[in-house]
Amino acid sequence: MTVYMSRHHGFHIKLIGAGALIGLAHLFFYGEELGWTLGGFALAWSVILTLTRADVRASRAARVALAMATLFGVMLVDDPGPLKMLLFLIAIGSATLLPLRRFDDAIRWAGRLFVHGVLGIVAPLRDARRLARAEGRRDHRRIVKVAAVLVVPMIGSAVFMTLFAQANPVIANAFAAIRFSDLSTLLRRLIFSGCFLVLVWSSLRPRRTLLKTGILQWDAAAMPHLAHGTLILSLAAFNLIFAIQNTLDIAFLWSGAPLPEGVTLADYAHQGAYPLIVTALLAGGFVLLAARPDGAARESRTLRRLILLWVAQNVLLVASSILRTLDYIAAYSLTGWRIAALAWMALVAVGLILIGWRMLCGYSARWLVNANALAAGVVLTAGCASDLGGIAARWNIAHARSAADLDLCYLEYLGPSALLPLIALERRAAGPVLRQRTANLIGLTMAETAHRQADWHRWTWRDARRLSAAQALVGKRPAPHVLTSCGEPLKTEAATTPLTKAARS
């Protein structure tokens, strides 16, 4: 009986927690645009999960995942974004499941998170059905007794309030001022509440029976074996083909030799950057197959040397892809997506190195999967904490030799991320036309940012810091009445006017 009362009490505590989160969602999100509220809700979810789940508080692994969820929640308060929200959901989902199932490897864990998310849709219905069955038998008599106690005071109060409304115009006006939502609004709010109930309830009441295995099952031993001769011939041919490509890259990219007529460095750099990464990924898959611990490479020193040589060539191939991208950035400009591409290329290189290290040390496939997942998590977390748009804007302004090298349209597209770099550009620009256009963009960006920050739903911590720093530098500038299109070319004398020395440093 005591155990039942304890579970019954815990269920109601979770129900209250879910209700609080749903109410907060209505306050933060219903009919509103997103801002810091996304992070505020994430932090509130983390707190509710901690308060309502004793097993989460008791599990060290769950506490680590909860700390990561809190970190991503703070990042969402600072500057909300879809990647940060995805990482928060992964972290809060891991904190939910870790007390019930020990972490084994990233692939199986991804499967469990997927199953947990999909079947969380029916979790509220499942618990509601169980509660109705249990409470229906026990509480039938209690409901009848409570109704008998309440019927007289409720009916009497309604009668007296009706009479007082007829006799007192103040009370009558108060009743007349009450407005009830129409049916469509009520239905939309119910659907909205249902969506958030599905989102949070599965974390408060996870289903244990679904955690034994993940939906993504894999078995390294089930991978096909390749004959020793096949591997030797394949790796010898692949190393020769890759050596040709790497020799060309060393000649044209690394040493600076002149390209054939009709081929520019920008074309050579841009066309090969992404296809070569796909090539490296395919090569990495083949290395996984060739370098498996129970394969032919374990007994053949020649085969191991060919595999390590090919891994080294693939790492050089990725390094050349990074250099291609850097050359393309130098010829054109830096963008947030190009920073992300560089990070992705670095991850591919790390993955290839880990494959070779695994073969040398004899580590398991599980070690390789978890090591790559850890590397990806570190890179993604660092990307979430960084302002990629601000980095791109500062780099483009600092490395522009003349106004013609600047893409003001892209700086305008970056919005608040480019605000402080634009102020630096205005102070360093030598040409009056560029200075005026930059001042117009600064005024427009500051006005739009201030307007967005004025709505407490859309307010973000990062934009507050940007706007405060900008106002300290240039004051409160009004938005320009007429703004020249950023796509319109600058005047000839402005386009050839060099920036000051400070801008080129």
Side-chain angles (χ1 to χ4, degrees), residues 397 408 411 418-426 438 441-442 445:
I397 290 173
L408 291 182
L411 295 177
L419 182 56
L420 296 179
L422 280 170
I423 293 175
L425 173 62
E426 182 190 28
T438 304
L441 286 180
I442 292 171
T445 304

Side-chain angles (χ1 to χ4, degrees), residues 423-481:
I423 293 175
L425 173 62
E426 182 190 28
R427 294 184 171 186
R428 299 172 183 177
V433 177
L434 175 62
R435 189 181 300 112
Q436 181 59 44
R437 292 188 63 192
T438 304
N440 287 341
L441 286 180
I442 292 171
L444 179 67
T445 304
M446 289 184 68
E448 290 178 346
T449 305
H451 176 71
R452 186 165 50 251
Q453 291 291 98
D455 182 357
W456 69 270
H457 292 92
R458 303 168 66 190
W459 183 92
T460 65
W461 191 6
R462 184 174 294 181
D463 280 352
R465 297 197 303 271
R466 289 165 175 159
L467 191 59
S468 177
Q471 290 175 348
L473 291 172
V474 299
K476 294 184 178 181
R477 287 192 181 179
H481 296 292

Side-chain angles (χ1 to χ4, degrees), residues 50-129:
T50 305
L51 294 177
T52 58
R53 292 273 307 276
D55 55 347
V56 171
R57 299 193 298 271
S59 170
R60 179 180 299 179
R63 291 198 301 269
V64 172
L66 202 59
M68 292 303 300
T70 303
L71 174 63
F72 292 124
V74 173
M75 290 183 182
L76 286 167
V77 171
D78 183 55
D79 185 41
L83 178 58
K84 299 170 191 176
M85 192 64 207
L86 175 62
L87 293 176
F88 167 79
L89 290 175
I90 293 174
I92 201 75
S94 297
T96 297
L97 301 184
L98 280 170
L100 311 177
R101 184 68 166 86
R102 185 177 178 181
F103 180 87
D104 40 17
D105 64 69
I107 293 181
R108 285 190 173 93
W109 196 256
R112 292 189 186 98
L113 288 174
F114 179 78
V115 171
H116 170 70
V118 171
L119 296 184
I121 297 174
V122 299
L125 298 177
R126 179 199 65 201
D127 285 337
R129 184 182 60 183

